[in-house]
Amino acid sequence: MENTQERYVIFKLKNEFYGININYVQTIEKMIEITRVPKANAYVKGVINLRGEIVPVIDLRKRFNIESSDYDKDSRIIVNKIEDVLVGFIVDSATEVKEIYKDDIDYSIVDEGFNDGFIKGIGKIEEQIIILIDVNKVLDNG
């Protein structure tokens, strides 16, 4: 079996690095005005108007129960396309795209009860640990 690579957009929340499979990522935007939506879950920051399309935005710090921090010049909205729906994830910064070999991903650490299933594996690039998230689970209300 060949050791294939997958490409991930690498982003940061607090001091940890995370990855989203690049196949989901449409665009990475600087912070823009977010319109609040009444009675939405606490982690749903609101919606943005992205080139004429209304896109819901999720604050990943809130979704992952990481303490909040103010947005700054490095904050980004990673816009993903998940089953024909656009959804934005607010992250502290989006650094780069990296390729991770399948052999360098540990799936054994993950089960449904672990971190609400948000994590699908832990990738290793040299000495760096990348937490790979399951975008579909981020949207689940569980």
Side-chain angles (χ1 to χ4, degrees):
M1 185 177 134
E2 76 181 82
N3 186 13
T4 58
Q5 294 176 316
E6 289 191 345
R7 297 176 72 206
Y8 290 87
V9 172
I10 307 302
F11 65 91
K12 211 169 171 183
L13 291 174
K14 200 165 180 190
N15 298 319
E16 306 297 330
F17 289 94
Y18 295 79
I20 296 176
N21 190 306
I22 198 162
N23 295 331
Y24 291 108
V25 177
Q26 293 292 294
T27 179
I28 299 173
E29 303 288 330
K30 291 185 174 178
M31 291 300 292
I32 59 176
E33 188 176 331
I34 298 173
T35 303
R36 297 223 29 96
V37 177
K39 298 196 179 200
N41 289 325
Y43 58 84
V44 176
K45 196 74 181 161
V47 295
I48 59 173
N49 182 344
L50 185 64
R51 293 181 273 289
E53 199 153 351
I54 300 301
V55 179
V57 178
I58 292 174
D59 186 323
L60 282 190
R61 275 184 173 249
K62 279 198 171 97
R63 188 66 171 126
F64 294 170
N65 293 321
I66 299 170
E67 74 222 22
S68 293
S69 76
D70 292 334
Y71 305 133
D72 61 25
K73 64 178 179 38
D74 294 326
S75 299
R76 294 290 181 269
I77 300 173
I78 300 176
V79 179
N80 302 277
K81 190 168 199 169
I82 304 165
E83 296 174 13
D84 292 330
V85 176
L86 290 179
V87 62
F89 296 158
I90 300 173
V91 300
D92 294 349
S93 64
T95 53
E96 58 203 320
V97 174
K98 288 193 173 182
E99 293 182 349
I100 303 176
Y101 286 101
K102 285 209 158 96
D103 286 357
D104 290 333
I105 299 174
D106 183 350
Y107 296 100
S108 66
I109 193 168
V110 183
D111 67 29
E112 280 301 312
F114 179 73
N115 206 0
D116 294 329
F118 296 145
I119 296 174
K120 70 174 187 187
I122 305 291
K124 297 184 293 289
I125 304 173
E126 292 142 19
E127 297 302 309
Q128 189 178 30
I129 299 291
I130 310 284
I131 300 165
L132 305 176
I133 67 168
D134 183 335
V135 293
N136 292 299
K137 290 289 195 306
V138 173
L139 299 184
D140 288 348
N141 287 329

